[in-house]
Amino acid sequence: MRVLVASDSGNAGRENEDWAHADDRLVAVLDGATARTETGCIHGVTWYAHRLGSTVVELAHNYSTPLPQALAGAISRVAAEHQDTCDLDHPGTPSAGISLVRFRRSSLEYLVLGDVSLAIDQGGELSVVTDDRVSRTAAAERAEADRHPIGSPGKAEALLAMKHAELAARNVPGGYWIAEADPKVVEHALTGSCEIGEQTSVAILSDGAARAVTLGLLSWPDTMKLLRTEGPTELIALVRQAEAEDPHATRWRRNKRSDDATAVYADGFTA
């Protein structure tokens, strides 16, 4: 089995709020949600994504623990770590999207919660699992934010209004679901399983890496081909080149000039 991992901060002066793990039993990618407001937490998004990631990996390595149960346990454990110092009921409390894939001898099982994309290629038959519920919230505010180029006077104000609208829809019916302080959110995760063979390949991309697709640079099949032949580092480099060519986001409307980008790719499965 071959496993390739790359992760790159969207801003050289800031911490990477993505987190990744990969071994021959389990791969995971977490994408910490950008905090544009107060959070009520003294630790921050990077801390949360890293603590949740390492904890869920520990729990998910036990094959007898279903992935939703592993994530619920990790959310509860991390909440307990900082409930005495932080206001976990704050509407902006740190949160993260997550995708987990656990491999067995001839099958895999997966969980996706939040905007981290999973692609499974079964020898040319491609399935993509993307939780796009967050992008379907705050439609008016999102459109207003997209109207302003990055660096323009109205962009920051529009993004703050969009964030408040997103937070109002977070982890409520009709909104979107993401890991934060309440383990019950796992009830809304996208889960499944499938058989795997020698022709199977798997990729998990944070939304910063998935810009290869969402910006229209590549199709999903071409993304999988690039990952297979060149690897995750080259995929992220392609995204960075496009972002650099459009610094004000006038060609490709987006909230950040560059976003944290993480990609994990696995193939070479044998029975």
Side-chain angles (χ1 to χ4, degrees):
M1 178 177 172
R2 178 177 66 147
V3 184
L4 307 173
V5 184
S7 188
D8 182 60
S9 172
N11 187 321
R14 297 183 63 182
E15 292 182 308
N16 189 343
E17 295 176 344
D18 286 357
W19 186 91
H21 169 88
D23 61 42
D24 60 358
R25 297 172 63 189
L26 182 74
V27 295
V29 170
L30 280 78
D31 185 347
T34 300
R36 302 187 190 278
T37 68
E38 294 296 323
T39 65
C41 178
I42 64 174
H43 301 96
V45 174
T46 299
W47 177 89
Y48 180 76
H50 287 217
R51 288 299 304 133
L52 183 64
S54 60
T55 305
V56 75
V57 164
E58 175 190 343
L59 297 176
H61 266 115
N62 183 345
Y63 279 117
S64 66
T65 303
L67 292 181
Q69 184 178 327
L71 179 57
I75 291 172
S76 295
R77 188 183 295 184
V78 175
E81 289 181 11
H82 68 137
Q83 63 183 2
D84 293 336
T85 57
C86 305
D87 178 9
L88 304 189
D89 293 324
H90 192 287
T93 191
S95 62
I98 181 171
S99 180
L100 300 168
V101 178
R102 184 163 59 186
F103 304 108
R104 297 180 182 270
R105 175 169 294 183
S106 59
S107 65
L108 64 78
E109 53 193 320
Y110 66 81
L111 177 150
V112 176
L113 183 69
D115 55 353
V116 180
S117 297
L118 166 66
I120 304 170
D121 189 344
Q122 302 275 39
E125 184 177 339
L126 183 62
S127 300
V128 179
V129 181
T130 299
D131 186 350
D132 64 351
R133 285 173 286 192
V134 65
S135 65
R136 290 187 265 130
T137 65
E141 292 83 359
R142 199 176 302 278
E144 176 63 14
D146 283 347
R147 193 173 67 82
H148 297 275
I150 289 175
S152 66
K155 186 69 168 181
E157 181 180 351
L159 286 174
L160 182 59
M162 185 191 80
K163 187 64 178 182
H164 282 297
E166 283 183 353
L167 290 176
R170 185 177 72 173
N171 294 343
V172 297
Y176 69 100
W177 305 90
I178 193 169
E180 36 109 300
D182 186 352
K184 293 181 180 179
V185 298
V186 303
E187 299 172 5
H188 303 277
L190 308 179
T191 60
S193 61
C194 67
E195 299 299 308
I196 57 176
E198 294 181 359
Q199 300 302 312
T200 303
S201 58
V202 175
I204 302 179
L205 308 180
S206 68
D207 64 344
R211 282 183 172 184
V213 177
T214 58
L215 298 184
L217 309 176
L218 296 173
S219 65
W220 273 111
D222 285 341
T223 295
M224 295 299 284
K225 181 179 179 181
L226 179 61
L227 287 168
R228 182 177 67 254
T229 58
E230 303 294 334
T233 299
E234 290 304 314
L235 178 72
I236 294 173
L238 178 70
V239 172
R240 293 289 183 247
Q241 179 180 350
E243 292 168 336
E245 291 174 356
D246 181 36
H248 302 295
T250 54
R251 178 179 179 184
W252 294 298
R253 297 293 182 178
R254 56 196 192 276
N255 299 331
K256 305 175 191 175
R257 182 174 288 112
S258 294
D259 195 5
D260 298 337
T262 300
V264 177
Y265 175 82
D267 66 9
F269 302 101
T270 57

